[in-house]
Amino acid sequence: MRFSSPAVGHRPRALVRSAAIAAAALLISGPLAASAHAEPATPDLPAELIAAIQRDLKISPADYVARADLAQQVAAFATTAQRQFPNVFAGAWLNEAGKAVVALSDGADLDKARKAVQDAGFVAKDVAKSETTLRSEKNAFQTWLKDQPAEVAKAVRGVAIDTVNNTIAVRVEKAGLPMPGFVDPAQVVVMPVPPTGNEDTTLQTATAIAGEGPRALAAGDGFASVAGRMQLRCSLGFNGTDGSGNVVNITAGHCNPNIPATGGANSPGAFELIGSDTVGSQVGSFQKSILGAQDYSIIAINDASHDRFTNNAVRVPNAAPVAVTGVAIPVVGAPVCKSGSRTGFSCGVVNAVDQTVQVGERIMTQTFSANICALPGDSGGPIVTGTLALGISSASSVADYPICEIPNLIGLITGNAPQLFAQPVSTVLSDNPGLRVRTN
């Protein structure tokens, strides 16, 4: 996570305005209400995850899994509806009551589209603009921006379709920038750039412990990446296999301390962490790292460590895991939980998808965000929805706080909840044919 570490005596800066940070759905930001649909049997989830679900989402574990499943159902429906009803389809999401909503605008095939929505068991909502129209407005804004003075262009941090509000939202660094007439002033969101930094740390080297065998390593466990004297502390992402069947781990791109050397003889190594600050044995090396519009790494696991990565587990370090059963795509309103080696499990809801956000000097695209706190050391860790692999932790709006309790408390008082920006796993898989997340 491009996090900055808090300096001694540093006074935490003001929180990002999370109610506005969600460029794709500004209304989905708080704890979830009780759902109207029937709950399935309680799923097999670890105690640490159940505690986070109840604490952060205020729903039962069974409802958490049910909503996650419903989100993927409406996502699949939306994919079909985009093709069948391009003139009227206007987006889909889960509302705060946990119901699936499909927006429809006026136009040809509206009645057919409404019947399809209702037959699927979803709520149809009438809106003014189709998704096609909104995408045209987004493209028009990007064209307009190219002709603006440098001071305006540099201060615009991104634009996205706000599905829930049926408009486009523009993210800016400061208020008062000129905007084209078709941009609703209420949807011009002032958002400071998420803090940047790295996972730099000073780690000890472990000594051999007699009689101790190698332990399995899962998503959420800590690891150290090492290139010469540079060491970064991150969290392992999802275990998987590449197109040749080799054992890999999928984590964050910025967890690689020397991207230009990746894949060569001097490629940075990945080492297990014993405790929080002691480097153990090397388990692999960075095979591929992307840091720019996307943020992911593929770590090739060495032969001696293969068996340690043949699990489909996500966990808090040294605790019982949740087993990953598949891969999901981000859906606004879906409940999600992240695990990280520093802050463990914490949960929230997706409040923006397919968005643009500036992190330092780079622009990340196709990201999603959720109202979740994460801190340095959580980078690269897994984000799940239900028991499905969803994302990789990338950047946080509150990375300069020492503990999550502080921004979480401020969020309760002000409504300015922390935001976690993430790399969708589905995008990583589509960019790397044959790459798979382990599900058995």
Side-chain angles (χ1 to χ4, degrees):
M1 212 164 289
R2 294 305 271 190
F3 290 127
S4 58
S5 300
V8 176
H10 173 67
R11 187 174 182 179
R13 66 180 178 78
L15 282 173
V16 172
R17 290 180 225 177
S18 68
I21 207 172
L26 308 185
L27 297 182
I28 308 294
S29 61
L32 300 172
S35 176
H37 56 265
E39 292 186 355
T42 301
D44 184 16
L45 302 178
E48 293 81 4
L49 179 54
I50 290 174
I53 291 167
Q54 294 173 334
R55 178 193 67 225
D56 299 335
L57 298 176
K58 306 297 189 290
I59 59 176
S60 71
D63 204 15
Y64 161 73
V65 172
R67 293 185 187 206
D69 180 65
L70 180 61
Q72 295 308 297
Q73 291 178 38
V74 76
F77 178 89
T79 299
T80 301
Q82 287 170 334
R83 295 194 302 265
Q84 291 185 341
F85 311 113
N87 296 321
V88 299
F89 177 76
W93 64 92
L94 295 193
N95 65 17
E96 292 185 348
K99 294 183 178 181
V101 179
V102 179
L104 302 173
S105 66
D106 191 21
D109 295 327
L110 175 59
D111 291 341
K112 290 181 180 179
R114 190 187 307 279
K115 184 177 186 305
V117 171
Q118 294 170 344
D119 288 348
F122 306 143
V123 176
K125 179 180 179 180
D126 293 327
V127 296
K129 302 174 183 178
S130 69
E131 187 175 73
T132 299
T133 299
L134 292 173
R135 290 192 182 280
S136 295
E137 290 186 358
K138 179 183 175 183
N139 292 337
F141 177 84
Q142 292 172 322
T143 299
W144 170 87
L145 188 63
K146 292 178 182 178
D147 296 328
Q148 299 309 301
E151 60 270 19
V152 174
K154 289 181 179 179
V156 174
R157 299 303 183 181
V159 58
I161 294 174
D162 181 349
T163 304
V164 173
N165 290 311
N166 194 232
T167 186
I168 62 171
V170 180
R171 184 179 290 114
V172 298
E173 188 179 55
K174 58 185 178 181
L177 293 177
M179 289 288 142
F182 58 82
V183 173
D184 181 353
Q187 299 300 321
V188 178
V189 179
V190 179
M191 188 198 84
V193 180
T196 61
N198 51 45
E199 318 292 323
D200 284 354
T201 186
T202 301
L203 302 171
Q204 306 173 49
T205 301
T207 55
I209 301 175
E212 182 175 293
R215 61 191 176 99
L217 292 173
D221 288 343
F223 80 100
S225 55
V226 180
R229 295 184 178 181
M230 182 176 289
Q231 298 176 327
L232 306 180
R233 183 180 66 187
C234 283
S235 298
L236 290 170
F238 298 102
N239 291 331
T241 56
D242 66 13
S244 299
N246 300 311
V247 178
V248 299
N249 185 267
I250 306 167
T251 188
H254 73 265
C255 286
N256 184 341
N258 187 3
I259 290 179
T262 300
N266 297 317
S267 187
F271 294 73
E272 70 171 312
L273 272 184
I274 300 172
S276 60
D277 61 358
T278 304
V279 177
S281 61
Q282 183 170 355
V283 295
S285 60
F286 285 84
Q287 174 180 304
K288 179 179 180 179
S289 292
I290 301 295
L291 183 60
Q294 299 184 59
D295 181 9
Y296 71 85
S297 286
I298 299 172
I299 298 174
I301 305 303
N302 59 37
D303 291 344
S305 302
H306 276 185
D307 291 347
R308 306 177 69 182
F309 288 83
T310 56
N311 62 81
N312 61 332
V314 171
R315 69 182 181 191
V316 172
N318 302 314
V322 54
V324 174
T325 58
V327 175
I329 61 173
V331 175
V332 168
V336 295
C337 296
K338 77 99 180 72
S339 179
S341 61
R342 179 167 176 183
T343 60
F345 278 122
S346 50
C347 303
V349 294
V350 174
N351 49 29
V353 300
D354 195 18
Q355 67 171 328
T356 298
V357 62
Q358 181 160 351
V359 179
E361 295 302 315
R362 62 190 176 90
I363 301 291
M364 288 186 64
T365 62
Q366 298 179 296
T367 65
F368 70 92
S369 62
N371 56 320
I372 294 175
C373 177
L375 298 176
D378 291 330
S379 279
I383 302 171
V384 296
T385 180
T387 59
L388 304 175
L390 182 68
I392 301 163
S393 295
S394 179
S396 171
S397 67
V398 295
D400 48 1
Y401 283 81
I403 57 175
C404 278
E405 285 75 7
I406 296 173
N408 285 341
L409 178 60
I410 295 174
L412 288 174
I413 296 172
T414 66
N416 297 332
Q419 292 292 309
L420 174 61
F421 299 91
Q423 166 75 53
V425 171
S426 57
T427 303
V428 180
L429 299 183
S430 66
D431 286 352
N432 296 272
L435 181 65
R436 296 178 180 273
V437 169
R438 201 174 285 277
T439 59
N440 54 26

